[in-house]
Amino acid sequence: MAQEDMAAHVGASRTPQEVMEHYVSMYIHGNLGKACIPDTIPNRVTDHTCPSGGPLSPSLTTPLPPLDISVAEQQQLGYMPLRDDYEIEYDQDAETLISGLSVNYDDDDVEIELKRAHVDMYVRKLKERQRRKNIARDYNLVPAFLGKDKKEKEKALKRKITKEEKELRLKLRPLYQFMSCKEFDDLFENMHKEKMLRAKIRELQRYRRNGITKMEESAEYEAARHKREKRKENKNLAGSKRGKEDGKDGEFAAIENLPGFELLSDREKVLCSSLNLSPARYVTVKTIIIKDHLQKRQGIPSKSRLPSYLDKVLKKRILNFLTESGWISRDAS
């Protein structure tokens, strides 16, 4: 538009293009332009922005995209999507550091430095608040709290996580704040690969010890090994069955070779085995108790002659057994 205005001012004898060429040749590339316009124009604009990640970098507190959750879930969390804030934030009282600050022209150097320190403290708290939000967003802690990430986890997992790996993940949970979610998953994926490789190396070393040098021979070896293990398992199973059949005899193994064992009934064998009492001693105690009982019934005074190895607990157990078996009456026990 300026070219047409200049051409109209000069007159109809000049076209707009001719006016522009005359101006450039005479005033820009001519002597006047060479004297007034330098060859290189220095950049006098100072960049006052802080580099990314610096103490006052805007990227430190840049809000993340809002969470994709329903209105009811927003109310449950106290979440404000337009600000990406919560009603209760980490270090809720951080704003009190600067809420009362004001810049006065009569402030001395100490007051200025004190106010700057307050601002620095506030910025540090904002950085920590944003860092925690980033961790929560990276590890999907909000969907986990709402119970919405179970199906997504099942789809994402390509393998079944063992109990040992779950326990290790819990132990290493403090590392979440130093590693991204992808780095953490890659760590455990690599640990799983290492475990599988070590198992494969041990398997190949076993093949080599058994003289196998080709993978084609390993199939035949594994089939033979499986048959051997199956025979061994069947043999152990048969042995356990025989052990169950001989269980009764094994129950009295501690007393079956002692004198007087053949004189005992099955119930008396169980009693002696449970009391850890030899059959001969039991027969002696039984004889004395029954003899004393018969003398009392006949009115003959008798003095108890029980052995010294028989304490009160053993005596009570044996008396109860003899009473229940009908050897003595309840009055005597």
Side-chain angles (χ1 to χ4, degrees):
M1 189 67 183
Q3 299 174 13
E4 287 78 2
D5 292 342
M6 290 294 294
H9 180 72
V10 172
S13 59
R14 301 287 184 180
T15 63
Q17 184 65 26
E18 291 175 342
V19 171
M20 185 186 71
E21 291 175 356
H22 174 76
Y23 178 81
V24 171
S25 62
M26 296 299 295
Y27 295 99
I28 295 180
H29 297 302
N31 294 328
L32 185 61
K34 292 178 181 179
C36 298
I37 303 175
D39 295 334
T40 57
I41 302 176
N43 184 10
R44 299 186 182 90
V45 179
T46 304
D47 185 8
H48 294 281
T49 60
C50 185
S52 179
L56 297 177
S57 173
S59 62
L60 295 175
T61 56
T62 302
L64 297 169
L67 292 170
D68 185 16
I69 55 179
S70 65
V71 177
E73 291 168 342
Q74 292 176 11
Q75 294 175 353
Q76 180 183 357
L77 295 171
Y79 178 68
M80 295 171 281
L82 298 180
R83 299 175 53 184
D84 191 42
D85 282 343
Y86 296 89
E87 292 181 2
I88 300 177
E89 292 279 0
Y90 168 76
D91 204 345
Q92 182 71 6
D93 300 329
E95 282 72 16
T96 57
L97 287 168
I98 60 169
S99 60
L101 294 182
S102 61
V103 179
N104 302 318
Y105 292 103
D106 56 347
D107 288 343
D108 56 17
D109 294 340
V110 176
E111 291 176 333
I112 293 173
E113 291 300 324
L114 181 61
K115 292 177 181 179
R116 285 179 178 174
H118 275 252
V119 173
D120 182 62
M121 292 164 61
Y122 175 65
V123 171
R124 290 174 184 270
K125 291 179 181 294
L126 287 184
K127 287 165 57 179
E128 178 63 20
R129 184 182 295 176
Q130 190 64 35
R131 187 183 72 88
R132 290 171 179 259
K133 286 184 181 178
N134 293 338
I135 294 174
R137 187 69 62 88
D138 188 22
Y139 283 91
N140 293 322
L141 298 185
V142 172
F145 174 77
L146 298 173
K148 297 170 64 175
D149 67 331
K150 292 182 180 179
K151 294 182 179 179
E152 296 177 2
K153 278 187 177 179
E154 292 174 359
K155 292 180 182 178
L157 289 176
K158 299 178 182 177
R159 59 183 177 83
K160 186 177 179 181
I161 297 180
T162 61
K163 181 181 178 182
E164 292 78 9
E165 184 173 337
K166 288 181 180 178
E167 293 176 352
L168 185 59
R169 282 177 178 266
L170 288 175
K171 289 180 181 179
L172 297 180
R173 183 172 286 181
L175 296 179
Y176 282 8
Q177 57 183 321
F178 306 114
M179 305 173 66
S180 66
C181 183
K182 185 178 183 305
E183 291 174 341
F184 203 74
D185 290 339
D186 289 345
L187 170 65
F188 279 95
E189 196 64 32
N190 292 332
M191 291 172 65
H192 175 71
K193 289 180 181 178
E194 180 192 6
K195 184 178 179 181
M196 299 300 293
L197 287 173
R198 288 180 181 275
K200 188 65 177 178
I201 291 171
R202 287 194 297 268
E203 182 183 10
L204 294 175
Q205 289 175 342
R206 188 178 74 249
Y207 287 162
R208 178 175 289 183
R209 285 196 300 270
N210 288 276
I212 298 172
T213 57
K214 296 181 180 180
M215 292 302 299
E216 294 79 9
E217 301 172 353
S218 63
E220 183 179 354
Y221 168 78
E222 288 295 336
R225 186 172 69 88
H226 180 70
K227 288 181 181 179
R228 287 197 304 270
E229 291 180 354
K230 195 70 176 176
R231 286 197 299 268
K232 187 177 180 181
E233 184 180 347
N234 293 336
K235 186 177 179 181
N236 293 336
L237 187 61
S240 63
K241 286 183 179 179
R242 286 197 300 271
K244 287 181 180 179
E245 292 174 357
D246 301 337
K248 280 191 174 180
D249 296 337
E251 184 181 355
F252 309 123
I255 61 173
E256 62 182 353
N257 296 323
L258 297 178
F261 178 77
E262 66 280 358
L263 302 176
L264 303 179
S265 64
D266 290 341
R267 292 187 63 199
E268 287 175 328
K269 291 176 182 178
V270 174
L271 177 67
C272 290
S273 179
S274 63
L275 296 178
N276 197 19
L277 187 66
S278 66
R281 287 188 172 185
Y282 167 74
V283 171
T284 302
V285 173
K286 175 183 175 183
T287 302
I288 294 174
I289 291 175
I290 293 176
K291 186 176 180 181
D292 289 346
H293 174 66
L294 292 175
Q295 287 179 351
K296 286 181 181 179
R297 292 190 64 179
Q298 295 174 3
I300 302 174
S302 61
K303 186 177 180 181
S304 179
R305 303 178 304 278
L306 293 174
S308 59
Y309 58 79
L310 190 69
D311 57 20
K312 293 182 179 180
V313 177
L314 288 177
K315 179 182 177 183
K316 187 175 181 180
R317 289 282 299 278
I318 294 174
L319 283 173
N320 290 338
F321 174 78
L322 295 177
T323 303
E324 293 172 358
S325 302
W327 289 97
I328 60 177
S329 63
R330 294 191 176 277
D331 297 338
S333 61

